[in-house]
Amino acid sequence: MYFYLFHWAQSGVPIVLKGTVADPATFMSKQELVLSGEYSKIRNFMFFVITPLEWLVYLLILGTGLSKVFEKWSEIGLKWKVIKNSAYVFFLYLFTTVLFYPIDYYRYSLSKKYGISTQDYSSWMRDYVIDFWVNFITTLIIVIVLYWLIQISKKRWWLYAWLLTIPFAIFMMYIQPVVIDPLYNEFYPLKDKALEEKILSLAEQANIPSEHVFEVNMAEKTNAMNAYVTGIGDNSRIVLWDTTLNQLTESEILFIMAHEMGHYVQKHIYIGMAAYILSTLFGLWIIAKIMPWLIHRFGEALKIEKMTDIRSLPLFLLLLSLMLFISNPISNFVSRYQETRADEYAMELTNNPEAAVSSFQNLAKTGLSEVNPPFIVKIFRYTHPPMLERINTVAEYTQKKE
């Protein structure tokens, strides 16, 4: 991957597009072009290194007997099995968090070095601790229920677990905007009431039930821009980062918001939820078939006697991580298609291709994004089409309109 990313991969702008609005040389300075290339290559390389490293860590936890040690620690002075399992999850989660902390810190410092992050260390560390507890509590609930199901039904646990993921996923989507997101940032009604009225007018055209647009203070953490429609039911809300408000014109902001509304109108949230539910069913079924065989075949080397043992959790997480990595190209392909549809919807709603192009240019510039990444990087990492493709979508739409 190192040689592919730093020496072999071709990621420049095609000759036919040189000098056009899709060419980053027309909207980025020479320094920004250099920084964009460096930053993208380092981040892409880290992605392809860290994921296999995670698998290796899980194997080492199992093979060295560390998982068994965590299990013994969790049994000291504890009677109830659910409490023991909770203690094991805490030891495992704490160990992996501490182990990967240097990598997480390097990512933060890298983002800071290239001018993406503006967050000081104390603020970053505060978010890091919040992340730990939010993810730990979520993981703990899932693991406790999962191993309880494995204990009571060794053959059909995967089906029962899948059935429970449906209400759990809906519940998490419902509480995300009002419980989890405010832990990290302050949300408040949009200060610019004239702009809010125009955004709500767009929302009305799109039949989106919303009375307020929310602003979130991100400028103290990042220079990047974002906007989104989140939540379901009564908790759905339109959110704008203040960096977006500070760096884009009104017409560009309206295009960005129209894009996010496109996801809502075209039911991408519900399609994504349905895809998640189906892929979870398939994933749990695969794990239910593979994991017992692996324990039977390699249980002695992995220090696992049976699947019901909580010490088998690292093997479960390893298989889950492998499947997520393998499925990345498919899920990213679907996501890129949905993003293209949302772009087309935004152009229909705003009828302002100039604002669309300048929005994409500004997004690429502030995020130091590659406008045309290498093929492997695109299929494994890009949930949105590269900026080159998004700008081409605008050109094709304009030609079609004419």
Side-chain angles (χ1 to χ4, degrees):
M1 287 311 304
Y2 172 81
F3 283 104
Y4 173 76
L5 292 171
F6 287 89
H7 299 287
W8 301 336
Q10 300 296 321
S11 59
V13 177
I15 295 175
V16 70
L17 294 177
K18 290 282 186 181
T20 67
V21 290
D23 185 353
T26 63
F27 58 87
M28 284 187 181
S29 66
K30 290 183 179 179
Q31 178 68 7
E32 287 171 336
L33 288 170
V34 171
L35 294 176
S36 172
E38 291 176 355
Y39 185 58
S40 298
K41 286 175 182 177
I42 294 171
R43 289 179 70 236
N44 293 336
F45 179 68
M46 286 184 68
F47 170 81
F48 287 104
V49 168
I50 292 171
T51 305
L53 179 62
E54 181 185 348
W55 306 337
L56 181 62
V57 166
Y58 287 138
L59 283 174
L60 288 175
I61 290 172
L62 291 167
T64 59
L66 194 56
S67 184
K68 200 170 183 179
V69 171
F70 291 156
E71 187 181 39
K72 286 183 178 179
W73 286 354
S74 65
E75 291 175 351
I76 298 174
L78 300 174
K79 294 181 180 180
W80 299 97
K81 192 174 183 65
V82 65
I83 303 299
K84 293 178 182 178
N85 287 353
S86 298
Y88 173 91
V89 175
F90 178 76
F91 290 135
L92 176 65
Y93 199 82
L94 180 63
F95 176 78
T96 53
T97 300
V98 171
L99 195 65
F100 280 94
Y101 173 81
I103 295 174
D104 294 329
Y105 176 75
Y106 176 73
R107 281 172 164 169
Y108 157 71
S109 60
L110 185 72
S111 180
K112 188 108 172 172
K113 175 184 175 183
Y114 282 90
I116 307 298
S117 174
T118 58
Q119 191 173 20
D120 60 41
Y121 177 77
S122 60
S123 173
W124 176 79
M125 197 63 206
R126 175 185 173 275
D127 286 351
Y128 195 79
V129 172
I130 293 172
D131 251 351
F132 174 86
W133 287 110
V134 168
N135 293 330
F136 168 70
I137 292 169
T138 306
T139 303
L140 179 63
I141 294 169
I142 294 170
V143 170
I144 294 302
V145 173
L146 181 69
Y147 274 81
W148 172 69
L149 291 172
I150 293 173
Q151 187 75 38
I152 64 173
S153 179
K154 293 184 176 69
K155 291 185 177 180
R156 294 186 180 177
W157 65 265
W158 58 273
L159 180 60
Y160 302 139
W162 172 70
L163 290 172
L164 288 175
T165 61
I166 300 172
F168 184 74
I170 295 171
F171 173 73
M172 290 302 292
M173 287 185 68
Y174 187 77
I175 68 167
Q176 181 83 31
V178 294
V179 177
I180 298 176
D181 290 346
L183 294 174
Y184 297 89
N185 301 289
E186 182 184 356
F187 289 77
Y188 42 86
L190 186 62
K191 296 174 184 176
D192 188 338
K193 295 304 175 184
L195 177 61
E196 182 181 47
E197 189 176 337
K198 291 179 181 180
I199 293 173
L200 291 176
S201 176
L202 280 179
E204 187 178 353
Q205 292 178 53
N207 294 318
I208 296 177
S210 185
E211 298 179 359
H212 297 288
V213 178
F214 287 86
E215 184 178 339
V216 54
N217 58 328
M218 291 298 295
E220 61 186 27
K221 294 183 178 182
T222 182
N223 285 318
M225 298 182 287
N226 196 17
Y228 55 90
V229 177
T230 185
I232 55 174
D234 297 337
N235 283 356
S236 62
R237 56 172 56 176
I238 301 170
V239 180
L240 271 166
W241 285 11
D242 59 353
T243 50
T244 306
L245 293 166
N246 297 338
Q247 298 179 60
L248 295 184
T249 64
E250 184 179 279
S251 58
E252 291 168 344
I253 291 170
L254 291 175
F255 172 80
I256 295 292
M257 292 313 303
H259 167 93
E260 298 304 329
M261 292 173 191
H263 288 303
Y264 184 93
V265 170
Q266 297 180 36
K267 313 295 183 187
H268 291 165
I269 293 174
Y270 300 102
I271 293 171
M273 187 183 294
Y276 165 79
I277 290 170
L278 289 174
S279 61
T280 301
L281 174 63
F282 179 72
L284 288 171
W285 178 76
I286 288 290
I287 290 176
K289 297 297 180 183
I290 295 177
M291 196 165 165
W293 178 83
L294 288 173
I295 293 173
H296 175 74
R297 181 72 176 80
F298 304 104
E300 188 175 346
L302 298 175
K303 311 290 191 297
I304 305 172
E305 294 172 7
K306 52 187 183 294
M307 190 171 174
T308 52
D309 293 337
I310 190 65
R311 78 178 80 129
S312 68
L313 179 59
L315 180 59
F316 185 96
L317 295 174
L318 169 61
L319 293 174
L320 184 63
S321 179
L322 274 166
M323 286 192 296
L324 286 173
F325 183 78
I326 292 169
S327 66
N328 259 348
I330 299 171
S331 60
N332 287 347
F333 175 81
V334 173
S335 177
R336 290 195 299 272
Y337 172 76
Q338 290 180 337
E339 294 296 335
T340 300
R341 292 293 307 277
D343 284 344
E344 292 170 349
Y345 179 86
M347 284 182 280
E348 287 281 355
L349 193 60
T350 61
N351 195 28
N352 193 340
E354 292 81 10
V357 170
S358 57
S359 298
F360 295 148
Q361 290 175 338
N362 283 317
L363 286 168
K365 188 173 181 177
T366 56
L368 294 179
S369 306
E370 283 183 294
V371 297
N372 188 29
F375 177 72
I376 293 178
V377 172
K378 175 185 169 182
I379 64 172
F380 273 97
R381 297 209 63 205
Y382 274 60
T383 56
H384 289 59
M387 289 304 175
L388 189 73
E389 294 181 16
R390 300 185 81 174
I391 293 173
N392 277 341
T393 298
V394 177
E396 289 171 2
Y397 170 83
T398 304
Q399 289 174 1
K400 184 179 178 182
K401 197 79 173 174
E402 289 173 353

